[in-house]
Each structure stands twice: as structure tokens, then as C-alpha cells.
């Protein structure tokens, strides 16, 4: 999972900060009024940031599927 982090399109980012407030491990921050993943090693790929982004600037390209047992 180390290389699997959400991608943030800074052109779409409005700088609302919702993702920063929602990030459980606080891996995101605002830099020059745009969201940035500043601590990649702390990102748990929970996808909360993608879910709260009103402008659709954050994409999580991997889907985690749990297999039923």
C-alpha cells in the first residue's frame, strides 16, 4: 500500500479543506490554498478524503474488496 495514495487534482481543488479535516491520520494539509498529501507514509488509504471532496478533485484509483468467508 505504500505507493497507493489518493491523487489530488490541484486544478479542481477549491481549497475548502474538507479533506484535511476528515483525514484520520492527518496525512493531508493545505499548501498554497490547495490540498496536498504531505505525509504519504501516514496515509492509510481510507478514501474518506475522496468521499468528502465537493469538487471531485480527489481520486482513489484502487478499490478494496473484502471477500466473504
Amino acid at each position: 500500500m505504500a505507493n497507493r495514495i489518493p491523487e489530488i487534482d490541484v486544478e479542481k481543488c477549491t481549497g475548502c479543506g474538507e479533506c484535511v479535516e476528515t483525514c484520520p491520520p492527518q496525512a493531508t494539509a493545505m499548501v498554497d490554498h490547495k490540498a496536498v498529501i504531505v505525509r504519504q507514509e501516514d496515509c492509510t488509504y481510507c478514501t474518506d478524503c475522496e468521499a468528502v471532496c465537493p469538487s471531485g478533485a480527489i481520486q482513489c484509483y484502487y478499490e478494496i474488496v473484502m471477500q466473504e468467508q
Side-chain angles (χ1 to χ4, degrees):
M1 288 299 263
N3 294 330
R4 297 181 182 169
I5 60 169
E7 291 185 18
I8 302 173
D9 183 340
V10 293
E11 296 297 319
K12 288 184 179 180
C13 179
T14 62
C16 71
E18 290 292 323
C19 58
V20 174
E21 291 187 26
T22 303
C23 183
Q26 299 176 340
T28 58
M30 299 303 293
V31 176
D32 294 328
H33 306 289
K34 300 290 181 173
V36 177
I37 298 177
V38 292
R39 288 188 300 282
Q40 295 181 12
E41 67 279 2
D42 291 340
C43 178
T44 60
Y45 205 75
C46 66
T47 72
D48 288 355
C49 56
E50 180 184 43
V52 300
C53 181
S55 63
I58 302 175
Q59 297 293 313
C60 297
Y61 291 105
Y62 300 92
E63 182 177 349
I64 300 169
V65 178
M66 303 300 285
Q67 184 178 12
E68 290 186 37
Q69 294 185 16

